[in-house]
Amino acid sequence: MTRLIYVNGDFLPEQDAKISVLDRGFLFADAVYEVSTILDGKLVDNKAHLRRLARSLSELDMAAPCSDEDIIAAQHKLLELNGVKEGLLYLQVSRGVADRDFPYPEHSESSLVMFTQAKNILDNPKIKSGLKVISTPDLRWKRRDIKTVGLLAPSMAKQEALRAGADDAWMVEDDFITEGTSNNAYIVTPDNVIKTRHLGNEILAGITRTAVLKFAKEAGIDVIEEPFTVAEVKQAKEAFITSASMFVMPVVNFDGDDVGNGKPGPITIQLRKVYIATAMERADL
Ligand code: PMP
């Protein structure tokens, strides 16, 4: 079955799904996106993703392509048409087509593109082994709170990690970890406190982060939202990442050294279990 892709109101076979070369998403990375997880044919935390999309659009003075209700209706139809039960739904809004020039065009129509990718989300083989992570300088721009498609710096970092035989990179600015290439970063300190960077322009406000920090607090685990250094990772008992597609995933090696005993830690495993157990309750589409 050919996958159908949503492009501005139409559901088109993959080979016919096209956007103009004059689209500002193509020319300027003038576009924002969201990735939500499909579990049992439903989208997890979709409303929270749509809220973050609205914020990204507003920070860039970009018009929404249509109402949230229209987006949700199209998402629903796309899931049905493609019959994906587990995987990802990618959604991208760009400022649309205009002659190439730096200022925002006065008259352009935002475009909306969405597609699904089937993927094993629950059964990720890395759960048992954990991830190997390297540190690398954070080369990104200074508005990482806006989820734009300008993703070359994290792509370079991820590529560097793979070349080094690792799974991912944690990006470092002024000796503090900002976040992973496509995830938020956490350590568990020697006194069992979860540390993750506070929200601000330096990192993306992960939807999974919000859910997981809430679960940690409910479980009586102390959480400190402040930056941590490379040296603190080396001293940590556990480390992990969160993202919509990875949920909670253990980090067992950092720059070639074991984190803790080099195995997924108990707090990480506990949070992953709670996240998965409640994911279907949070499947809101
Ligand atoms: N930080 C960055 C840079 C990301 O790309 C992502 C994934 N979108 C996240 C954090 C995690 O966000 P979420 O939990 O909403 O997937």
Side-chain angles (χ1 to χ4, degrees), residues 33-37 48-49 52 140 144 147-148 151 154 171 178-186 202-210 242-247 275:
Y33 74 107
E34 284 294 328
V35 179
S36 29
T37 295
H49 283 281
R52 186 171 65 189
R140 297 174 302 164
R144 302 158 196 157
K147 198 164 168 57
T148 79
L151 293 173
M171 297 177 284
T178 51
E179 56 190 332
T181 57
S182 58
N183 45 69
N184 290 117
Y186 307 74
E202 298 78 20
I203 62 166
L204 184 75
I207 304 300
T208 322
R209 179 186 182 280
T210 305
T242 64
S243 77
S245 59
M246 298 281 265
F247 296 168
Y275 185 87

Side-chain angles (χ1 to χ4, degrees), residues 14-58:
E14 205 170 311
Q15 63 274 15
D16 301 329
K18 298 209 169 96
I19 285 277
S20 164
V21 294
L22 292 180
D23 189 279
R24 284 180 59 98
F26 180 64
L27 295 175
F28 290 97
D30 190 356
V32 297
Y33 74 107
E34 284 294 328
V35 179
S36 29
T37 295
I38 308 165
L39 274 190
D40 201 17
K42 297 192 169 70
L43 292 175
V44 179
D45 281 335
N46 192 49
K47 295 213 170 86
H49 283 281
L50 291 180
R51 273 198 298 278
R52 186 171 65 189
L53 174 71
R55 180 184 180 276
S56 294
L57 290 171
S58 127

Side-chain angles (χ1 to χ4, degrees), residues 46-78:
N46 192 49
K47 295 213 170 86
H49 283 281
L50 291 180
R51 273 198 298 278
R52 186 171 65 189
L53 174 71
R55 180 184 180 276
S56 294
L57 290 171
S58 127
E59 291 297 303
L60 295 172
D61 290 328
M62 199 186 292
C66 54
S67 68
D68 273 6
E69 290 69 35
D70 289 344
I71 295 181
I72 289 169
Q75 286 177 317
H76 211 185
K77 190 160 174 203
L78 192 64

Side-chain angles (χ1 to χ4, degrees), residues 124-133 167-168 170 183-188 237-243 246-254 259 261-273 276:
N124 190 321
K126 290 285 175 184
I127 299 154
K128 290 216 165 63
S129 60
L131 301 175
K132 287 185 182 174
V133 165
D167 301 292
D168 201 5
W170 279 8
N183 45 69
N184 290 117
Y186 307 74
I187 53 168
V188 178
K237 263 188 167 170
E238 300 180 30
F240 62 94
I241 58 158
T242 64
S243 77
M246 298 281 265
F247 296 168
V248 180
M249 194 59 79
V251 171
V252 296
N253 189 283
F254 184 73
V259 176
N261 65 3
K263 299 207 171 66
I267 290 182
T268 306
I269 293 169
Q270 180 189 349
L271 289 174
R272 182 178 174 87
K273 277 199 184 128
I276 290 174

